[in-house]
């Protein structure tokens, strides 16, 4: 359950992702993914209440990779946990609140995924 303490501890994440064009990419990645798996490609950003994420992938991505997306509240609590993207065109449910999302792209053969 989300509490004010969770929100107080994570207040900076949503603001940082909204302002990431003005911040060094290395800072944003270090703060958002302090111990990210080097074999995993991460994509992330803010999401506004009422908006969905639309995925448009090449077929080759899904034949060689697993793609997962999680949508979080501003307090870093999952509101749409671990959605596996299985189609080249996919749409998430509309977010019920402002927050952020993270997508993990992992090669099926275990090797490193490069952008």
């Amino acid at each position: 359950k989300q509490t004010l303490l969770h929100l107080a501890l994570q207040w900076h994440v949503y603001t940082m992702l909204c302002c990431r064009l003005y911040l060094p990419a290395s800072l944003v990645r270090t703060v958002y993914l302090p111990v990210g798996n080097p074999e995993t490609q991460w994509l992330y950003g803010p999401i506004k209440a009422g908006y969905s994420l639309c995925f448009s992938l090449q077929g080759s991505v899904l034949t060689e990779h697993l793609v997962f997306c999680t949508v979080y509240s501003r307090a870093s609590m999952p509101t749409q946990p671990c959605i596996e993207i299985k189609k080249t065109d996919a749409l998430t449910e509309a977010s019920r609140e402002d927050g952020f999302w993270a997508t993990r792209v992992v090669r099926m053969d275990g090797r490193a995924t490069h952008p």
Side-chain angles (χ1 to χ4, degrees):
K1 181 171 163 110
Q2 184 169 294
T3 67
L4 285 176
L5 176 62
H6 293 112
L7 189 57
L9 292 172
Q10 297 297 321
W11 68 271
H12 64 286
V13 176
Y14 178 78
T15 304
M16 178 186 63
L17 292 174
C18 286
C19 299
R20 71 192 269 190
L21 291 175
Y22 308 105
L23 299 169
S26 61
L27 171 71
V28 174
R29 182 174 174 82
T30 301
V31 171
Y32 188 71
L33 299 171
V35 189
N37 182 343
E39 282 82 37
T40 301
Q41 176 66 37
W42 289 90
L43 306 164
Y44 42 85
I47 190 166
K48 294 274 194 182
Y51 282 79
S52 298
L53 296 171
C54 179
F55 291 87
S56 182
L57 306 172
Q58 295 177 355
S60 61
V61 171
L62 294 176
T63 58
E64 298 174 3
H65 300 81
L66 299 171
V67 180
F68 301 97
C69 180
T70 300
V71 179
Y72 299 91
S73 70
R74 289 183 72 160
S76 291
M77 302 299 279
T79 59
Q80 296 180 43
C82 203
I83 304 160
E84 185 172 2
I85 308 301
K86 297 182 178 183
K87 299 178 181 176
T88 55
D89 293 309
L91 186 68
T92 65
E93 295 177 17
S95 182
R96 288 177 245 122
E97 57 188 289
D98 290 349
F100 46 93
W101 56 273
T103 298
R104 295 178 291 134
V105 182
V106 183
R107 285 186 60 95
M108 289 182 188
D109 62 12
R111 294 187 320 205
T113 300
H114 300 287

